[in-house]
Amino acid sequence: MKTVLRSHLQEGDYRRAAVYSALLHVAILLFFTVGVSLLPSPAPIELGLGAGGGQGEVVSVGLAADTGGGAGMYKPPVTNRAESAPPPPPKKAERAVDESKVPPNVFTQEKPKPKPKEPEPPHRSRPKKETPPKQRAGLIPRESDPGKGTPGGAAGSGGGFGTGRGVQIGSGSGEGGQIDSWYIRQVEQRVGKNWLQTSLGSLQKVQAVATFLVLPSGQITDIQLEQRSGVSSVDLAVIRAIQASNPLPPLPYELRSRSVRFKAVFEYPTTAR
Amino acid sequence: MKKGLAPSMRKQVWLVPLCILLSAAAAAAQKTDATIFPTPTATRLAVADFTPRTSASAETQTALSVFNRVLLDDLKFSEFFVIPSKSFYPLKPLRAPQDVDFSNWQVSTLDVDFLAFGNLQVDATATVVEAYLYDVKTHNQVLGKRFTISDPTLIRRVAHEFADQIVYELSAGASLGVARSQIAYVSQKGDAKEIWIMDYDGANAHQLSFNGGLNKFPEWSFDDKRLAYVTKLPTENRWQLRIQDVDGPVRDISIDASYVSSPAFSPDGRLAFSAHTPNSRGADIFVAGPNGRGLRNITNAAGIDTSPTWSPTSAQIAFISDRSGSPQVWIMDSDGSNVRRLILEGGHCDSPDWSPDGRYILYSWQAPEQWKHDIYLVEIATGRINQLTRGSGSYESPHWSPDGRHVTFQSTRSGSKQIFIMSVDGKNLKQVSAYGINESPSWAPYPPATPEQ
């Protein structure tokens, strides 16, 4: 074997190749961890083959510039996709995550007691927080999350290639696209079922965003309120909706190799997706 | 190759840990894998029968049956919750939190979000109710209350109180509940029409006026302590504007008027009413201070202006005027300026009532060529009109509940004029008066004081 190698590779050539290879790897890594954030987020190109709500053979192909894609069991979108993907969410919103962490046991804290009745002004308007209009792509948004990546994510550099039922090929440090599957829709329904209409009180409009992590066992952890609604009772109800959904069913096979971080956009009245 | 890595290669070895480090850092950074857009759903509430705490004495059983029925009726009428039938409930009685097996309440036939339960005991000295509300999904206690009353006949009040607390808690404070609220109305028994007050569900009806004459148009003050109405005593031939405290004392507001009707308190304590005085051209709307002082004619127009109702900010008044021909709903500022017609349909409008949130006005309307009234709702900003009642009988004198989710009115749908309540979406219609002729209901603006706890 060594003889064979020697016969094909001169020592000098090998060294050079190794150095180039390492430098190239670093360059690619830097490109995906830093460089991507500088680029405008392009419209993803997805090819969904096969029919049947993610049951069939599905291949999604991401181009090099497409930092998403590559997930198994991709469900074809039902609604029209926007012509171009929206710009990445403002950085400010991300920073708000840390500032507005809510402990998972928020419900065990003392709830604000009902205030003694006072002759309320008949306009029981609550302070409403003006939230910027949400930017969202078509169905399951491939919202880019620039500057962040994950190994073993759904995307490979230069085009992650997922074939078939969730078998994911492609490692690398792409930031990963958003996954979609029957399981995700189930989680959406479950959390929605625990988000109670009555908790909205008399508010005409509500928006809050929370994130949580689902372990392979289905256990929900790390609930964080990313964007507050501006009304504490609504925030509590949003956290409760996630807590009350715990535990979720175990992650499906194709997602079980890791935990899944969900972003839940609590929006009322619901706008078209 | 046996020499090991070449020197130039060795120099690059540091790149390996760097790569690993960068990869790990990238992994640590949070990212979202999936975004979901949950849609809110109705709150499902189970109301388990309360049980005797120690012994099931006859008094305790009687109190329990009243309590359980009233609590369930209140919560159903609140229209906030989906309440699954009790026939699906687990059979195990729940006395205290430790008796609850939450998984039993999450089976598909129930699948409730919250569970109300508790216990009750009537003793020689006191009646004690321990009431709980638990979040079935998170197992958190939402309410834990202990009510002590000296008189077991007050048990309805305790049920109302607990129902309102559940509504307040689960509606995020949007409603104080209406279970403790009261309705004033006119009841005719024999020739006299007297003012009566009852609980919102028709219980505890008691008479307020005892003058044997005709008493009409009761209207609550916004502190719930007084009622304004008009009286024609049997010995007199003129109508008198009168204010009576709920606990008895009566005060007359002297006005030089041949006719006075439909008083209405403003949230800031002023009093508007319709009167025909020697100086007015027909009946006009007058506004006076809390004691009847500072009387001022604010319409002063030809024709009949009547039935004033205040906006919740006390800045505007809606009223009925026939200045355009037939009686219609008009709006003006409380000083009489900016008069405009709100309802542009023909027919006859009557008894407008401004919603607690200021957005709507309830009124009754008799369509042209029709013999009966029905209740309608107009959205002030858009002028959009909704019909709330249909079917046989006439529906008149609508009045909002304090939480703006319900309506009371009089109707002949069951024969004679009686008082009804229903949700503003037309559901949950209930007749709450029965004997004699009952009309002109006025729902008290806020629930009265809570029973001792």
Side-chain angles (χ1 to χ4, degrees), chain A residues 117, chain B residues 71 74-75 78 143 158-171 175-181 200 447-448:
Chain A
K117 286 184 290 291
Chain B
L71 180 64
D74 285 349
L75 291 169
S78 78
L143 287 171
V158 178
H160 290 325
E161 171 78 24
F162 187 49
D164 278 352
Q165 286 183 2
I166 291 175
V167 166
Y168 182 88
E169 200 64 35
L170 298 189
S171 72
S175 172
L176 297 169
V178 295
R180 290 162 296 158
S181 64
Y200 91 103

Side-chain angles (χ1 to χ4, degrees), chain A residues 15 122 126 149 188 198 261 273, chain B residues 6 26 33 37 41 43 135 172 312:
Chain A
R15 276 205 307 271
R126 292 149 180 274
E188 185 174 71
T198 49
R261 177 159 291 278
R273 300 197 183 154
Chain B
D33 299 310
F37 300 92
T41 48
T43 303
D135 186 328

Side-chain angles (χ1 to χ4, degrees), chain B residues 144-165:
Chain B
K145 296 279 173 182
R146 186 183 169 92
F147 303 91
T148 306
I149 46 174
S150 49
D151 179 359
T153 60
L154 291 174
I155 198 68
R156 297 181 67 91
R157 292 290 306 279
V158 178
H160 290 325
E161 171 78 24
F162 187 49
D164 278 352
Q165 286 183 2

Side-chain angles (χ1 to χ4, degrees), chain B residues 320-331:
Chain B
I320 297 291
S321 175
D322 67 354
R323 62 185 70 184
S324 61
S326 63
Q328 297 294 323
V329 181
W330 293 65
I331 291 186

